[in-house]
Amino acid sequence: MVFGTSTMEFVEEEEQLGFDSDEEKSELSDDELQEAFAKGLLKPGMNVLVAKAKKSTNNVEGLKQCLAEFRKDLPWVESLDMTNLPAEDLISKADGQAPAGVNEDINADDDFQREMFFYRQAQATVLGSLPLLKKHNIATKRPDDYFAEMAKTDQHMQKIRKKLISKQMIMERSEKAKKLREQRKFGKKVQIEVMQKRQKEKKAMMSAVKKYQKGMTDKLDFLEGDQKKPKDAGQGSKKAANKKGPNAKRKFKDQRFGFGGKKSGKKWNTKESHNDVSSFRAKVANAKGGKGGKKGKGGQQNKRPGKSVRRKMKSRS
Amino acid sequence: MAAFKRKRGGQTLVGKKAKKVKIVADGADASIESEQENNNEITVPAPVSGGKWTNKERVLIFSSRGINFRTRHLMQDLRTMMPHSKADTKMDRKDKLFVINEVCEIKNCNKCLFFEAKKKQDLYMWISNSPHGPSAKFLVQNIHTLAELKMTGNCLKGSRPLLSFDPKFDSEPQYALLKELFTQTFSTPRYHPKSQPFVDHVFTFTIADNRIWFRNYQIIEEDASLVEIGPRFVLNLIKIFQGSFGGPTLFENPDFKSPNMHRREIRLAAAAKVREKQMVKEMQKTKRTEAKTDLTTDVTADVFRTPAEEKPVLIETEPPVPRVAKKKKVNGYIRQRMARR
């Protein structure tokens, strides 16, 4: 038994930590511990049982001798063996990372790195062996018309091929499905935009027609509006209009009534609004007559001409 | 196969039944793929006639009872890969290991690969040089056979392999001995009658994580593009013996942990965890049920005590005057407005 110590409070108990079950065990009793303490083997502090270092045979001399007796010094052609480091790691070089040092142990848990290491080692062997094989006239390329039994049957290779093809198909199908989904979303957006544009145009047309009907404008530009519209001016004015955003009326209503909340009773007066006289304009309220009232020569611009005049206009145009 | 003895160094007869498939010489002008054996065709002479087969290595590959399907397939794959191998029936577990030496002698083999399965879970592999030579025992892990669909390469059956070793094999004496053992066992001798004249695959042995990793790649192009053929496995060295299946131990791997121990450790760890949880629970229980000390003074009593003048204590002898409740005028519109808000 080996006792290790640590600087903690003194505990006179047996600890199971670090106990290797390969060793022969002897259950430590309190008496034995007390005896050991009395003898001075135990020091104050927590005593922990530490596993003995396993003695493993490593008979280097024996190994070397055995190897010397056993080895067969055959020409290279017989054994075709080669000991070499892996070939250059082109992938990591291409990525810009520094290639792993020669002395570094490969991490056995990183599957990709490990397999690439094996692959590169095999590559280096092949590259090194090819000139030697050529020298001894041993071929590595099988000619196309040389038919012989292969390690895996043709049937098996067919299965492998089918599996690879099916994997590829699955991938392609999933790619296609993803693209379709994206397209559909995009298509929906485009459709909505087109509809909105059409509605806007219709609205503009209707309002232009109404204006003409009411006599506010006597230009018939809206009929040829689609072709004649100067694009820049049109777009410029549109942009300006868009800048102002929603109507002043709309803004006022939003401000007053907000969004959400109770549905009914929003347009009724409340105590505050009833008592609110800030929008009272004394001038406007007490003005008498204004623009000469409705009678007289007011409204000359917007006045609808009489029947005879209209008839004349019609016949004229 | 025909039961005649092939003459060493002699020309093979046209249309002999030894080769199952017709082989046509390279360099022949239009390859005539005929099934008839009576046509006059130039055949590639059998390997034996190229030279004498001098390096007489024969490997005996067999197993004990109780192996599972994966091990069986691995054995078959190794026999396919190594044309200089011989098969034998399963050995009974009761027999001692040195019986294997006798089996090898009967079969006239000088190397042996013996697979031993324990508990139907762990697979051990013995590799030995039969009459006197050294032998080694390994634990085999991570077996993948030829038949796995991810191994897409293929090679000629019986073609000679290139062997590729990690430089770490030269650094330590036990690995150097193992390298020699592997070289003699796995390399197909030149001019072996069952071998093919082309070299189209490579075995790699690498040391990583104190284990030996085995891979088998097919050489596709001369620029060393490779595809894995399989099989693949990992060898964990246990011991090296001086004799064949016995003798003094030359090397023992200190990092080796037997699979039983490994499983036991896992179980013990789980048990220790459970025990710890139980202990904690018990401690909590005892804490709860043990007698609690009554505190006479409340430590927190003075927290809200602020220093200030004490107010005179007034004792009212008469009840207070009741307040007159003001009755509010109920306006219908007000109620509506309240409800609205």
Side-chain angles (χ1 to χ4, degrees):
Chain A
M1 289 163 286
V2 178
F3 291 100
T5 60
S6 63
T7 54
M8 278 171 81
E9 42 187 331
F10 174 64
V11 173
E12 200 178 26
E13 279 167 31
E14 77 175 85
E15 291 289 322
Q16 287 283 329
L17 300 169
F19 196 69
D20 191 0
S21 41
D22 271 342
E23 297 188 33
E24 62 254 310
K25 298 189 264 193
S26 59
E27 290 287 323
L28 294 169
S29 66
D30 288 340
D31 299 330
E32 287 182 25
L33 279 171
Q34 282 172 348
E35 278 177 44
F37 180 60
K39 281 192 217 161
L41 289 172
L42 287 180
K43 299 188 195 114
M46 190 183 271
N47 289 290
V48 163
L49 281 166
V50 172
K52 211 175 7 173
K54 228 171 103 167
K55 261 198 292 180
S56 63
T57 43
N58 187 358
N59 187 357
V60 180
E61 281 308 311
L63 284 168
K64 289 196 179 145
Q65 201 189 6
C66 196
L67 178 60
E69 286 173 1
F70 165 61
R71 75 182 307 147
K72 272 199 239 179
D73 283 316
L74 295 166
W76 180 81
V77 202
E78 286 292 333
S79 58
L80 296 177
D81 70 324
M82 199 166 271
T83 310
N84 55 327
L85 282 171
E88 264 186 23
D89 191 2
L90 295 165
I91 299 173
S92 84
K93 259 196 179 177
D95 284 344
Q97 298 166 349
V102 169
N103 295 330
E104 263 180 40
D105 278 333
I106 34 173
N107 179 15
D109 291 328
D110 183 5
D111 289 343
F112 185 68
Q113 194 200 13
R114 184 190 70 212
E115 296 298 324
M116 284 315 293
F117 188 89
F118 300 155
Y119 185 87
R120 285 183 292 128
Q121 187 187 318
Q123 268 188 330
T125 303
V126 171
L127 290 171
S129 310
L130 278 174
L132 287 170
L133 285 171
K134 276 213 176 67
K135 207 168 57 157
H136 292 276
N137 291 325
I138 301 178
T140 54
K141 265 204 141 226
R142 183 168 69 104
D144 290 329
D145 48 6
Y146 185 94
F147 295 109
E149 198 176 347
M150 307 287 279
K152 298 191 194 172
T153 58
D154 282 338
Q155 217 181 24
H156 186 81
M157 298 310 286
Q158 286 281 350
K159 233 204 271 184
I160 292 176
R161 222 168 285 143
K162 262 194 232 162
K163 187 131 202 270
L164 284 175
I165 289 174
S166 77
K167 263 198 213 166
Q168 227 181 346
M169 295 267 288
I170 289 171
M171 245 179 38
E172 272 177 29
R173 236 182 277 155
S174 73
E175 287 283 330
K176 255 196 245 171
K178 260 191 229 166
K179 268 200 208 143
L180 257 171
R181 250 181 280 141
E182 288 298 319
Q183 261 186 356
R184 245 187 270 153
K185 284 190 193 159
F186 182 69
K188 191 73 179 176
K189 251 195 267 170
V190 167
Q191 190 189 32
I192 289 174
E193 272 178 32
V194 166
M195 299 276 286
Q196 280 184 340
K197 193 167 146 216
R198 274 199 213 134
Q199 277 182 343
K200 248 193 258 172
E201 277 180 20
K202 185 177 173 185
K203 199 168 147 189
M205 187 69 138
M206 293 306 292
S207 63
V209 168
K210 272 198 187 147
K211 272 195 189 163
Y212 179 72
Q213 278 182 338
K214 293 205 175 149
M216 292 194 280
T217 44
D218 53 352
K219 291 189 218 163
L220 288 167
D221 283 343
F222 59 86
L223 282 180
E224 311 115 19
D226 293 320
Q227 295 126 21
K228 236 185 114 182
K229 223 192 297 182
K231 288 195 184 129
D232 293 7
Q235 280 188 359
S237 70
K238 260 200 208 155
K239 280 187 195 160
N242 277 344
K243 250 204 225 169
K244 286 178 194 161
N247 224 348
K249 192 173 170 189
R250 183 76 259 148
K251 267 206 220 154
F252 173 73
K253 283 203 176 167
D254 285 347
Q255 190 194 29
R256 182 165 170 193
F257 303 114
F259 293 103
K262 266 188 143 187
K263 255 165 94 173
S264 61
K266 280 295 178 111
K267 293 187 184 171
W268 301 344
N269 271 333
T270 62
K271 187 172 170 185
E272 284 87 13
S273 71
H274 181 76
N275 296 337
D276 179 27
V277 287
S278 55
S279 56
F280 175 77
R281 301 271 172 263
K283 253 195 189 177
V284 173
N286 300 331
K288 286 184 190 158
K291 283 182 185 170
K294 277 293 169 79
K295 301 175 194 170
K297 292 186 183 169
Q300 189 73 335
Q301 299 103 343
N302 292 345
K303 198 168 186 270
R304 192 162 167 249
K307 182 154 180 180
S308 56
V309 179
R310 271 187 281 136
R311 219 173 356 103
K312 278 189 200 147
M313 273 173 68
K314 211 166 108 180
S315 63
R316 221 195 298 157
S317 65
Chain B
M1 274 197 51
F4 64 91
K5 268 216 171 107
R6 195 182 292 136
K7 292 209 191 101
R8 296 281 163 76
Q11 283 291 333
T12 58
L13 303 162
V14 173
K16 70 176 170 73
K17 297 200 183 101
K19 290 253 188 279
K20 281 189 208 167
V21 187
K22 214 62 186 124
I23 47 175
V24 182
D26 24 327
D29 293 328
S31 65
I32 310 158
E33 228 181 299
S34 74
E35 304 295 312
Q36 310 304 320
E37 292 181 13
N38 297 330
N39 294 359
N40 288 344
E41 288 173 354
I42 317 163
T43 53
V44 174
V48 182
S49 51
K52 278 199 90 157
W53 171 33
T54 46
N55 180 16
K56 302 282 171 72
E57 289 286 347
R58 293 183 197 86
V59 182
L60 181 66
I61 303 183
F62 71 121
S63 76
S64 73
R65 304 186 122 258
I67 52 172
N68 63 354
F69 67 96
R70 215 185 288 277
T71 317
R72 206 171 1 101
H73 281 265
L74 176 66
M75 264 199 332
Q76 279 172 1
D77 295 342
L78 285 174
R79 284 185 203 140
T80 320
M81 285 289 143
M82 296 165 34
H84 57 293
S85 65
K86 287 194 183 165
D88 196 25
T89 54
K90 289 187 194 155
M91 188 187 85
D92 243 345
R93 206 86 64 68
K94 316 185 247 151
D95 301 334
K96 303 284 180 192
L97 281 175
F98 56 76
V99 170
I100 300 180
N101 291 323
E102 293 174 12
V103 177
C104 283
E105 210 188 306
I106 293 170
K107 287 262 171 172
N108 193 16
C109 291
N110 59 354
K111 295 281 184 300
C112 178
L113 274 178
F114 176 62
F115 290 94
E116 194 181 355
K118 292 261 173 78
K119 281 191 173 185
K120 294 193 187 170
Q121 281 174 323
D122 314 319
L123 178 67
Y124 297 97
M125 183 176 100
W126 287 87
I127 177 169
S128 98
N129 177 27
S130 183
H132 327 287
S135 53
K137 184 176 181 190
F138 300 94
L139 173 71
V140 189
Q141 291 166 319
N142 290 12
I143 301 172
H144 294 261
T145 56
L146 265 183
E148 297 209 354
L149 290 175
K150 294 234 168 111
M151 317 272 194
T152 47
N154 200 355
C155 68
L156 284 170
K157 185 172 183 181
S159 61
R160 297 184 63 207
L162 288 174
L163 298 174
S164 165
F165 291 96
D166 201 8
K168 283 199 206 139
F169 274 100
D170 291 333
S171 59
E172 284 172 58
Q174 72 268 18
Y175 288 137
L177 184 61
L178 283 179
K179 176 179 163 182
E180 188 60 33
L181 207 49
F182 287 147
T183 312
Q184 291 186 16
T185 310
F186 285 99
S187 67
T188 304
R190 205 181 184 194
Y191 308 127
H192 189 281
K194 285 198 206 161
S195 67
Q196 299 282 355
F198 303 104
V199 171
D200 62 355
H201 65 292
V202 50
F203 290 160
T204 53
F205 297 86
T206 323
I207 299 182
D209 191 23
N210 285 318
R211 292 173 169 82
I212 301 173
W213 301 69
F214 173 89
R215 296 281 182 275
N216 180 11
Y217 295 100
Q218 176 196 6
I219 304 168
I220 305 181
E221 289 294 321
E222 304 269 306
D223 68 349
S225 55
L226 308 166
V227 172
E228 188 157 2
I229 309 171
R232 51 151 87 166
F233 48 88
V234 177
L235 299 172
N236 201 349
L237 176 64
I238 304 175
K239 277 189 183 179
I240 303 183
F241 301 99
Q242 192 178 7
S244 170
F245 293 101
T249 313
L250 289 174
F251 179 77
E252 196 179 325
N253 187 4
D255 302 319
F256 173 72
K257 209 171 17 155
S258 107
N260 267 337
M261 280 300 130
H262 183 75
R263 287 189 281 261
R264 183 160 191 269
E265 277 183 13
I266 292 174
R267 246 184 302 130
L268 283 179
K273 239 207 225 169
V274 170
R275 228 179 289 135
E276 219 186 284
K277 271 198 205 162
Q278 277 181 345
M279 257 184 16
V280 167
K281 268 197 203 163
E282 274 177 42
M283 278 191 6
Q284 282 181 340
K285 232 194 216 175
T286 51
K287 259 198 200 170
R288 238 187 296 141
T289 52
E290 72 189 3
K292 297 196 182 79
T293 56
D294 296 328
L295 289 173
T296 46
T297 51
D298 183 11
V299 187
T300 58
D302 296 335
V303 172
F304 292 115
R305 200 159 288 181
T306 48
E309 277 184 9
E310 279 207 24
K311 284 193 201 158
V313 181
L314 287 170
I315 304 170
E316 297 188 31
T317 48
E318 289 152 11
V321 178
R323 267 195 318 179
V324 177
K326 227 168 119 183
K327 207 171 171 195
K328 273 185 142 181
K329 227 183 0 174
V330 177
N331 196 349
Y333 295 112
I334 292 173
R335 186 177 285 174
Q336 241 182 0
R337 219 178 286 154
M338 289 296 134
R340 196 197 319 143
R341 289 232 204 109

